[in-house]
Amino acid sequence: MNPVPGSVLLLSLLSAVSAMSASAAGLPPVKQLGGPASEFAQMAPANPADSAIESKSLLMPVELSAGADGRFAWRGSLPIEAETARLIVLNNGARDWNLSLQAPNARSASAAHRIAQQVSATEMVLGNNQFPAEYYAFEQMERGTWAVQIDADSASQQRGFILLEGGGPARLKSQQVAFNQTLGQQIAFQASAHNVDASGLAVSNALRIDAASMRVTSPSGRSSLVAMRDDGRHQDGRAGDGVFGASFLASEAGDYTVQVRVEGVGMDGLPYARSAEHLVPVIAADLSLASNTAIGKALDDRRVSIDIPLNSRQPLSHYRAYAEIWASNGLRSQPVSWVAGMTELRDGRITLGFDARWLALTAANGSLELRNLRIEDPDHFITLLSAPVMKLSLDRLPRGATESVRAVDDEMRFGPRPAALRAEGVGRRLLLVHGYCSGNVWGGVAGQFGTASVFQDLSQNRSHDAFARLIRDYGATWNSFGVVAHSQGGAASTHLYTYYWSGLDNATGSRLIQSVGTPYQGTSLAGNLAALGQVFGAGCGTNSNLTYSGASSWLSGIPTWARSKVNYYTTSFNTRWWAYDYCHLATDLLLSDPEDGTTEQVRGQLSGAVNRGHKTGWCHTSGMRDPPQTTDSSRNSEMSSNAAR
């Protein structure tokens, strides 16, 4: 293989300098990721369809208006599809809201607390983000459209929400059309509806929708209602196919919330309404290529560094980059490998790295090119720059490109190990890591783990990347460490092992990373809580990594070898045939069973990792019906005895 300088197509990846001396600019030493062409599909950009929200409930905004008598009121309607219905009023703890309901054929309304079988104080919760609420359970309800009214004596809290699960089989499917979340883009959504059977499986391809809309709230708080159409002209597919679409212009940077709502008549002739709440981060994409040629330089007998020249007015601290390497001899193109990693923009370029033995392993012949380059921000994994192909000028081909390679080794997968890593810290440890906006979930049970220390960044909101670097900094006290993590801590630890060198790479033992209750594929609560936060105050703040779409984008950069080091557990509530079962009264209206009050079992799966099983009788955290999953002494003993350190 004899590539001619300047003739190679490419745009590239991975830093080849051992550890890339990223720490000089604030980053820990970064890994130089690589993998075989067989993993191209796994590492491809996320498919928005895979992160669609399927909703069984309606979150209805409420805004009280002043009346002539000086009191405040709001009126609306609620579709009740079954004799049993559950309703939650969220009003930030205001005590003067009075809820009344009027049956379809009744002449007058009744106070909700008089006709409800259960009224309980509760809250909408994700971590320590808690929004006070009042829960109502109704039985023997007349099916149809009920009038609803809220009265208040004062204007202490004029805005809030009603969350309704009407009990019917209708489901809303709502999704973003493309993950093009940069300033100036039109961001589109699609919505459709279908029925499900008792097991939750879809039983119809399309359900009648009479009206569809999306309410878009900008980062600055401006709200607009956009009608969704099924006319084939609003990114909705074919006209009349039951899929509705609409878009909005992303004119501000920051977090948007988008509530998609549909109304229609079900197959039983009863009206239904459903909504889904999406959190959509938008950032400025000020990256552009400064040249259509990347400069490759052989560093030693195996490693190649690739400089990609970029223009940026306001560079981020670092980026996540990915590309595929192909070889072309004029007659055919041959896939070689992918390369990826975290990288900084320094002196007008990002530098990535490549192990030339991938060329030897595939017997690649011809000049090189990089395809499907994408450069993303490190906190939301939004593509800021992409290029289908870019030229590469390579000064020489390392000897590794022609050496005999019997098997892929760790250096091919994540680059040369920094020499200083072996000397960092003293001793071995097991780190107990919490999750998003969390209390000290491991503190009370830390004694159930041997040689363990509790990581504490309590009640904070971190991206996976920022969270991972904090874990690394804490763990640097010891030469090696393994992790037992709860909730987001599992994803952050996986992120750390994937992108940065740390004590995880020195650890020995059976299980490097273990987690319980981690929403590897996201939780719909992240969107719901974002919508509530824009009215009541954000608490710990929004976190796009925890949404279905954000998790999907993050996972598109997590390779097979990193996933294989993760051992995960899921839990859900105990079920009793004679009672209504749940982990949390409020979140149960939004999540699909089985779930632990925050993480649905299906969304707690990590493909390529080791599933250690699902256990009932344990909920996500304290304050739920069943005990917190972190307090299961049997599982804790198992994790401790098997943990790497």
Side-chain angles (χ1 to χ4, degrees):
M1 170 171 189
N2 298 300
V4 180
S7 70
V8 202
L9 290 163
L10 199 117
L11 194 200
S12 142
L13 316 174
L14 281 175
S15 176
V17 215
S18 173
M20 216 168 111
S21 59
S23 56
L27 279 186
V30 297
K31 292 182 177 179
Q32 304 163 22
L33 312 185
S38 60
E39 295 177 349
F40 282 1
Q42 177 191 317
M43 301 295 289
N47 181 356
D50 295 335
S51 56
I53 295 175
E54 189 168 296
S55 173
K56 61 182 180 180
S57 56
L58 169 68
L59 184 66
M60 179 182 295
V62 170
E63 185 161 4
L64 306 185
S65 300
D69 59 356
R71 302 183 73 243
F72 293 81
W74 171 87
R75 293 175 177 81
S77 61
L78 296 173
I80 304 298
E81 304 155 69
E83 291 184 353
T84 299
R86 294 179 289 161
L87 182 151
I88 289 177
V89 176
L90 294 123
N91 62 4
N92 208 27
R95 297 184 178 182
D96 62 345
W97 279 32
N98 298 300
L99 175 68
S100 58
L101 300 172
Q102 184 174 341
N105 298 309
R107 293 185 177 181
S108 60
S110 300
H113 70 272
R114 294 185 180 278
I115 60 175
Q117 273 61 50
Q118 179 185 353
V119 181
S120 304
T122 185
E123 67 281 322
M124 189 64 67
V125 58
L126 181 59
N128 284 347
N129 262 352
Q130 297 179 349
F131 299 99
E134 195 165 38
Y135 171 87
Y136 298 84
F138 302 96
E139 297 178 6
Q140 298 180 340
M141 296 284 279
E142 180 181 347
R143 299 193 300 168
T145 301
W146 285 60
V148 58
Q149 181 168 330
I150 293 175
D151 296 286
D153 296 326
S154 71
S156 61
Q157 182 65 47
Q158 289 185 252
R159 299 175 66 197
F161 298 88
I162 289 178
L163 175 62
L164 170 71
E165 184 185 2
R171 298 292 184 269
L172 161 65
K173 181 180 179 181
S174 175
Q175 70 173 73
Q176 205 168 327
V177 174
F179 293 147
N180 57 333
Q181 295 157 222
T182 54
L183 273 174
Q185 295 291 312
Q186 288 285 337
I187 298 178
F189 281 81
Q190 290 180 345
S192 60
H194 59 274
N195 278 339
V196 297
D197 60 19
S199 65
L201 296 176
V203 294
S204 63
N205 292 329
L207 192 61
R208 172 180 156 187
I209 295 177
D210 294 329
S213 63
M214 64 181 193
R215 180 172 295 278
V216 180
T217 304
S218 73
S220 61
R222 293 181 299 174
S223 183
S224 60
L225 189 65
V226 183
M228 303 182 78
R229 308 292 185 188
D230 182 15
D231 57 7
R233 296 180 295 175
H234 290 80
Q235 300 198 50
D236 56 297
R238 300 187 310 274
D241 63 356
V243 178
F244 287 68
S247 64
F248 68 92
L249 178 65
S251 57
E252 300 177 35
D255 289 339
Y256 286 78
T257 59
V258 177
Q259 183 188 54
V260 174
R261 175 172 172 171
V262 298
E263 301 174 25
V265 176
M267 298 179 69
D268 53 6
L270 292 171
Y272 72 89
R274 300 286 185 270
S275 69
E277 288 68 43
H278 300 265
L279 171 61
V280 184
V282 169
I283 62 177
D286 64 350
L287 286 180
S288 63
L289 292 175
S291 168
N292 63 359
T293 300
I295 307 300
K297 180 180 180 181
L299 299 176
D300 54 32
D301 287 345
R302 289 178 173 175
R303 304 302 300 180
V304 175
S305 69
I306 303 169
D307 286 348
I308 302 170
L310 297 174
N311 294 317
S312 177
R313 294 183 300 277
Q314 296 178 320
L316 299 177
S317 62
H318 59 291
Y319 300 87
R320 185 172 83 166
Y322 168 90
E324 300 164 5
I325 294 182
W326 291 65
S328 176
N329 61 12
L331 298 177
R332 70 186 184 98
S333 294
Q334 178 183 359
V336 176
S337 72
W338 60 265
V339 289
M342 294 293 176
T343 177
E344 294 176 287
L345 178 59
R346 305 179 71 181
D347 300 323
R349 64 184 184 273
I350 60 171
T351 303
L352 301 161
F354 171 60
D355 193 310
R357 287 176 293 168
W358 288 108
L359 297 169
L361 190 67
T362 55
N365 188 353
S367 58
L368 296 177
E369 59 188 28
L370 284 190
R371 299 184 183 181
N372 299 318
L373 167 81
R374 65 181 191 266
I375 302 174
E376 305 165 339
D377 83 292
D379 292 319
H380 309 288
F381 314 107
I382 296 169
T383 299
L384 306 178
L385 183 152
S386 61
V389 68
M390 187 179 181
K391 295 180 179 180
L392 172 65
S393 176
L394 188 63
D395 62 343
R396 66 179 176 88
L397 197 63
R399 190 166 56 188
T402 56
E403 73 177 71
S404 176
V405 181
R406 295 183 178 180
V408 174
D409 62 20
D410 286 349
E411 189 168 318
M412 292 176 69
R413 292 187 182 95
F414 37 82
R417 175 186 291 266
L421 189 64
R422 285 294 181 192
E424 186 176 84
V426 177
R428 305 164 62 204
R429 210 70 178 169
L430 177 62
L431 303 190
L432 306 180
V433 179
H434 58 70
Y436 160 81
C437 191
S438 179
N440 190 7
V441 296
W442 296 111
V445 296
Q448 297 175 9
F449 297 87
T451 321
S453 292
V454 180
F455 169 87
Q456 294 188 50
D457 183 42
L458 306 181
S459 298
Q460 298 299 315
N461 175 19
R462 312 290 187 190
S463 69
H464 287 351
D465 188 70
F467 201 155
R469 288 182 282 125
L470 287 175
I471 296 171
R472 186 199 182 280
D473 291 346
Y474 179 73
T477 299
W478 301 278
N479 179 258
S480 68
F481 62 84
V483 169
V484 165
H486 180 243
S487 197
Q488 189 196 0
S493 300
T494 304
H495 186 97
L496 171 60
Y497 180 65
T498 301
Y499 294 109
Y500 302 106
W501 291 101
S502 74
L504 282 171
D505 298 285
N506 291 338
T508 58
S510 176
R511 304 180 189 176
L512 186 65
I513 298 170
Q514 300 177 85
S515 69
V516 58
T518 297
Y520 287 105
Q521 299 179 46
T523 172
S524 64
L525 298 183
N528 302 127
L529 271 292
L532 300 184
Q534 287 195 315
V535 171
F536 301 134
C540 285
T542 58
N543 192 314
S544 68
N545 294 174
L546 299 179
T547 65
Y548 289 168
S549 55
S552 179
S553 295
W554 169 69
L555 284 170
S556 69
I558 305 298
T560 300
W561 55 259
R563 298 177 186 222
S564 69
K565 295 296 186 179
V566 177
N567 297 260
Y568 67 93
Y569 300 81
T570 55
T571 72
S572 62
F573 50 81
N574 267 326
T575 56
R576 301 162 298 177
W577 64 266
W578 68 89
Y580 164 58
D581 291 304
Y582 58 89
C583 263
H584 193 278
L585 281 172
T587 62
D588 192 65
L589 275 66
L590 298 165
L591 300 173
S592 296
D593 294 340
E595 41 87 3
D596 66 9
T598 296
T599 301
E600 297 154 315
Q601 182 183 2
V602 68
R603 294 288 181 173
Q605 307 302 303
L606 179 60
S607 174
V610 182
N611 185 344
R612 292 293 174 181
H614 182 83
K615 192 172 182 180
T616 59
W618 301 90
C619 292
H620 195 78
T621 190
S622 60
M624 297 186 176
R625 197 199 66 178
D626 294 339
Q629 53 199 195
T630 54
T631 63
D632 183 347
S633 59
S634 174
R635 179 169 50 244
N636 290 348
S637 175
E638 176 186 339
M639 290 194 293
S640 179
S641 62
N642 286 283
R645 290 175 174 83

